[in-house]
mmCIF file of all heavy atoms in Angstrom:
data_model
loop_
_atom_site.group_PDB
_atom_site.id
_atom_site.type_symbol
_atom_site.label_atom_id
_atom_site.label_comp_id
_atom_site.label_asym_id
_atom_site.label_seq_id
_atom_site.Cartn_x
_atom_site.Cartn_y
_atom_site.Cartn_z
ATOM 1 N N VAL A 120 -0.220 -51.210 -0.121
ATOM 2 C CA VAL A 120 -0.078 -51.527 1.233
ATOM 3 C C VAL A 120 -0.207 -50.368 2.078
ATOM 4 O O VAL A 120 0.107 -49.242 1.802
ATOM 5 C CB VAL A 120 1.491 -51.908 1.483
ATOM 6 C CG1 VAL A 120 1.745 -52.151 2.893
ATOM 7 C CG2 VAL A 120 1.945 -53.089 0.572
ATOM 8 N N SER A 129 2.398 -52.657 12.312
ATOM 9 C CA SER A 129 2.458 -53.931 11.521
ATOM 10 C C SER A 129 4.002 -53.994 10.750
ATOM 11 O O SER A 129 4.613 -52.922 10.586
ATOM 12 C CB SER A 129 1.414 -54.001 10.611
ATOM 13 O OG SER A 129 0.233 -54.291 11.079
ATOM 14 N N THR A 130 4.293 -55.122 10.367
ATOM 15 C CA THR A 130 5.662 -55.210 9.543
ATOM 16 C C THR A 130 5.412 -55.819 8.225
ATOM 17 O O THR A 130 4.585 -56.647 7.999
ATOM 18 C CB THR A 130 6.631 -56.143 10.489
ATOM 19 O OG1 THR A 130 6.104 -57.356 10.516
ATOM 20 C CG2 THR A 130 6.928 -55.434 11.742
ATOM 21 N N LEU A 131 6.420 -55.338 7.305
ATOM 22 C CA LEU A 131 6.446 -55.813 6.082
ATOM 23 C C LEU A 131 7.827 -56.285 5.749
ATOM 24 O O LEU A 131 8.806 -55.492 5.848
ATOM 25 C CB LEU A 131 5.973 -54.811 5.116
ATOM 26 C CG LEU A 131 6.311 -54.996 3.500
ATOM 27 C CD1 LEU A 131 5.434 -56.230 3.042
ATOM 28 C CD2 LEU A 131 5.937 -53.721 2.726
ATOM 29 N N ASN A 132 8.110 -57.512 5.428
ATOM 30 C CA ASN A 132 9.503 -58.040 5.056
ATOM 31 C C ASN A 132 9.415 -58.689 3.728
ATOM 32 O O ASN A 132 8.748 -59.769 3.674
ATOM 33 C CB ASN A 132 9.913 -59.106 6.167
ATOM 34 C CG ASN A 132 10.047 -58.455 7.581
ATOM 35 O OD1 ASN A 132 10.889 -57.492 7.859
ATOM 36 N ND2 ASN A 132 9.042 -58.791 8.563
ATOM 37 N N ILE A 133 10.169 -58.131 2.905
ATOM 38 C CA ILE A 133 10.310 -58.593 1.512
ATOM 39 C C ILE A 133 11.766 -58.968 1.280
ATOM 40 O O ILE A 133 12.599 -58.048 1.398
ATOM 41 C CB ILE A 133 9.681 -57.743 0.346
ATOM 42 C CG1 ILE A 133 8.348 -57.442 0.737
ATOM 43 C CG2 ILE A 133 9.829 -58.306 -0.788
ATOM 44 C CD1 ILE A 133 7.630 -56.454 -0.271
ATOM 45 N N ILE A 151 3.243 -47.168 1.263
ATOM 46 C CA ILE A 151 3.468 -47.695 2.570
ATOM 47 C C ILE A 151 3.435 -46.442 3.555
ATOM 48 O O ILE A 151 4.181 -45.468 3.375
ATOM 49 C CB ILE A 151 4.925 -48.266 2.700
ATOM 50 C CG1 ILE A 151 4.869 -49.457 1.713
ATOM 51 C CG2 ILE A 151 5.216 -48.764 4.028
ATOM 52 C CD1 ILE A 151 6.367 -50.162 1.557
ATOM 53 N N SER A 152 2.620 -46.511 4.598
ATOM 54 C CA SER A 152 2.418 -45.421 5.505
ATOM 55 C C SER A 152 3.650 -45.299 6.464
ATOM 56 O O SER A 152 4.379 -46.281 6.651
ATOM 57 C CB SER A 152 1.196 -45.545 6.269
ATOM 58 O OG SER A 152 1.249 -46.598 7.095
ATOM 59 N N GLN A 154 3.655 -45.283 9.661
ATOM 60 C CA GLN A 154 3.371 -46.220 10.848
ATOM 61 C C GLN A 154 3.732 -47.663 10.535
ATOM 62 O O GLN A 154 3.462 -48.570 11.402
ATOM 63 C CB GLN A 154 1.911 -46.066 11.260
ATOM 64 C CG GLN A 154 1.476 -44.759 11.720
ATOM 65 C CD GLN A 154 1.165 -43.769 10.602
ATOM 66 O OE1 GLN A 154 0.822 -44.249 9.455
ATOM 67 N NE2 GLN A 154 1.225 -42.555 10.955
ATOM 68 N N PHE A 155 4.396 -47.912 9.404
ATOM 69 C CA PHE A 155 4.492 -49.252 8.952
ATOM 70 C C PHE A 155 5.979 -49.590 8.979
ATOM 71 O O PHE A 155 6.775 -48.803 8.412
ATOM 72 C CB PHE A 155 3.967 -49.426 7.568
ATOM 73 C CG PHE A 155 3.667 -50.746 7.137
ATOM 74 C CD1 PHE A 155 2.694 -51.531 7.754
ATOM 75 C CD2 PHE A 155 4.332 -51.331 6.007
ATOM 76 C CE1 PHE A 155 2.406 -52.821 7.222
ATOM 77 C CE2 PHE A 155 4.131 -52.645 5.670
ATOM 78 C CZ PHE A 155 3.040 -53.278 6.174
ATOM 79 N N SER A 156 6.389 -50.599 9.617
ATOM 80 C CA SER A 156 7.837 -51.018 9.666
ATOM 81 C C SER A 156 8.182 -51.976 8.513
ATOM 82 O O SER A 156 7.564 -52.999 8.384
ATOM 83 C CB SER A 156 8.063 -51.696 10.995
ATOM 84 O OG SER A 156 9.418 -52.259 11.004
ATOM 85 N N ALA A 157 9.062 -51.546 7.573
ATOM 86 C CA ALA A 157 9.301 -52.266 6.364
ATOM 87 C C ALA A 157 10.844 -52.639 6.230
ATOM 88 O O ALA A 157 11.625 -51.717 6.511
ATOM 89 C CB ALA A 157 8.830 -51.652 5.092
ATOM 90 N N THR A 158 11.044 -53.920 5.915
ATOM 91 C CA THR A 158 12.303 -54.351 5.523
ATOM 92 C C THR A 158 12.280 -54.888 4.225
ATOM 93 O O THR A 158 11.584 -55.972 3.990
ATOM 94 C CB THR A 158 12.805 -55.462 6.606
ATOM 95 O OG1 THR A 158 12.822 -54.859 7.948
ATOM 96 C CG2 THR A 158 14.299 -55.920 6.291
ATOM 97 N N ILE A 159 13.031 -54.325 3.370
ATOM 98 C CA ILE A 159 12.965 -54.786 1.933
ATOM 99 C C ILE A 159 14.449 -54.971 1.499
ATOM 100 O O ILE A 159 15.283 -53.980 1.526
ATOM 101 C CB ILE A 159 12.211 -53.832 0.936
ATOM 102 C CG1 ILE A 159 10.765 -53.568 1.431
ATOM 103 C CG2 ILE A 159 12.262 -54.230 -0.486
ATOM 104 C CD1 ILE A 159 9.944 -52.527 0.735
#
Side-chain angles (χ1 to χ4, degrees):
V120 177
S129 292
T130 59
L131 171 64
N132 295 294
I133 301 175
I151 300 177
S152 67
Q154 297 79 22
F155 201 64
S156 172
T158 302
I159 301 175

